[in-house]
Amino acid sequence: MTSNHTDCHYCLQSLRGRKYALREENAYCVRCYDSLFANSCEECKQPIECDSKDLAYKGRHWHEACFKCAKCNRSLVEKPFAAKDELLLCTGCYSDEYSSKCFHCQRTIMPGSRKMEFKGSSWHESCFVCQHCRQPLGTKPLITKDNENYCVPCYEKQFAHHCYSCKKVITSGGVTYHDQPWHKECFLCAGCKAQLSGQRFISKDEHPYCEDCFGKLYAKKCAACKKPITALGGVKFVSFEERQWHEECFNCAKCSVPLADLGFLTQGSDVVCHRCGSA
């Protein structure tokens, strides 16, 4: 520009008929202004002269022609861009290099668009839907089956088992008994109501019983120790004339020698070995 200023504030040469630049109300010839105040271009490292357009981003400066994508070299002037490791990239190159891929459609989730994250994977918001009803899941409770997501109502209708006892949905775990599903907390001893999941039990008339309850209610008692005799765990026992003994309890009433593999005699309600019976 030209003006009525007479001399350059720095070199003191006349500005008459010459272009000059103002800074803090002082006039400078173009050469002095560029050498004193021009910013250095991040791309070409040359000064951005006062008659050139200076494009700035986060304290850095570029010539208009140098303001371009670091990968494809397309101009970024008046276009959206992203920065990565101090490099400027157009949205297309940034997406190809760094953006997440949608788990469902495998397409890029563009910068600035809303994405949903679940179990370490990302989805477009429009792709993160119930596999059955196709309604958006957003932040609703969901259940995953075979890498597909379902809202809870659809999952229950399609896949869930209902507990044989309480009739409510079994969402995880559970116990199968007589081909029927049960919640672990619903699978109880028919006698004392203790939980049987993970415990040994005995079935009677299609009802499960813990060992103690079954013994009290149904098992025959050992003639020696009077405790129940159950077959749980392969327990061996001896039966004689409507009486039963645990194998380890079937001993001579006088000398206590084990009789399970020996002959024996009876004396009243006792069983004795031949030697004690002949004495």
Side-chain angles (χ1 to χ4, degrees):
M1 65 176 66
T2 59
S3 81
N4 295 323
H5 288 83
T6 56
D7 300 321
C8 170
H9 183 71
Y10 186 72
C11 68
L12 303 180
Q13 292 186 15
S14 175
L15 295 176
R16 294 184 180 277
R18 299 171 61 189
K19 291 182 178 181
Y20 72 94
L22 286 175
R23 184 180 179 89
E24 297 178 355
E25 299 184 358
N26 294 317
Y28 297 84
C29 65
V30 171
R31 184 177 61 183
C32 289
Y33 183 89
D34 288 341
S35 64
L36 293 171
F37 307 116
N39 295 306
S40 178
C41 176
E42 288 287 328
E43 177 65 20
C44 69
K45 309 305 180 185
Q46 297 300 312
I48 303 173
E49 299 170 340
C50 65
D51 57 353
S52 299
K53 193 172 184 178
D54 186 335
L55 301 180
Y57 175 71
K58 290 189 174 180
R60 297 186 293 160
H61 299 264
W62 288 263
H63 289 106
E64 185 175 17
C66 295
F67 194 63
K68 55 191 177 180
C69 173
K71 185 176 181 183
C72 69
N73 287 324
R74 293 178 181 174
S75 175
L76 298 177
V77 177
E78 297 184 358
K79 294 179 181 179
F81 63 90
K84 180 69 176 179
D85 300 329
E86 296 191 355
L87 297 177
L88 302 185
L89 300 169
C90 64
T91 54
C93 289
Y94 182 88
S95 297
D96 291 341
E97 290 291 321
Y98 304 108
S99 291
S100 303
K101 296 287 193 282
C102 176
F103 183 83
H104 177 73
C105 69
Q106 295 303 308
R107 295 178 181 175
T108 299
I109 302 175
M110 298 298 290
S113 62
R114 189 175 181 187
K115 70 176 180 179
M116 309 302 295
E117 295 188 350
F118 178 64
K119 291 187 175 179
S121 297
S122 301
W123 280 261
H124 292 109
E125 185 178 22
S126 58
C127 291
F128 194 59
V129 298
C130 171
Q131 179 66 18
H132 182 67
C133 69
R134 310 308 299 175
Q135 293 300 307
L137 290 170
T139 57
K140 297 176 183 176
L142 61 92
I143 300 174
T144 301
K145 179 177 174 61
D146 299 329
N147 288 328
E148 300 288 357
N149 299 320
Y150 297 85
C151 64
V152 173
C154 286
Y155 180 86
E156 292 178 354
K157 290 177 183 178
Q158 294 290 110
F159 306 109
H161 296 291
H162 290 76
C163 176
Y164 183 77
S165 175
C166 72
K167 311 304 179 186
K168 295 181 181 179
V169 171
I170 301 173
T171 57
S172 63
V175 176
T176 300
Y177 174 68
H178 283 305
D179 295 325
Q180 298 291 346
W182 304 62
H183 289 113
K184 289 183 179 181
E185 58 270 22
C186 292
F187 189 58
L188 309 176
C189 171
C192 66
K193 306 304 180 184
Q195 286 193 22
L196 294 177
S197 177
Q199 307 297 321
R200 298 195 303 176
F201 64 91
I202 304 170
S203 181
K204 173 70 174 176
D205 299 330
E206 297 189 356
H207 295 293
Y209 293 88
C210 66
E211 186 176 9
D212 287 342
C213 286
F214 183 84
K216 293 175 182 177
L217 296 172
Y218 301 108
K220 295 180 179 180
K221 304 299 190 292
C222 174
C225 71
K226 309 304 180 184
K227 293 180 181 179
I229 299 173
T230 71
L232 194 64
V235 174
K236 295 181 180 180
F237 65 96
V238 177
S239 180
F240 176 70
E241 292 183 350
E242 298 184 356
R243 290 188 294 166
Q244 289 79 31
W245 292 260
H246 294 107
E247 185 179 47
E248 63 273 17
C249 294
F250 191 57
N251 302 324
C252 174
K254 294 185 177 179
C255 70
S256 298
V257 66
L259 298 176
D261 297 320
L262 300 176
F264 62 90
L265 302 172
T266 60
Q267 289 184 351
S269 61
D270 294 331
V271 290
V272 297
C273 62
H274 283 287
R275 186 177 64 179
C276 291
S278 300

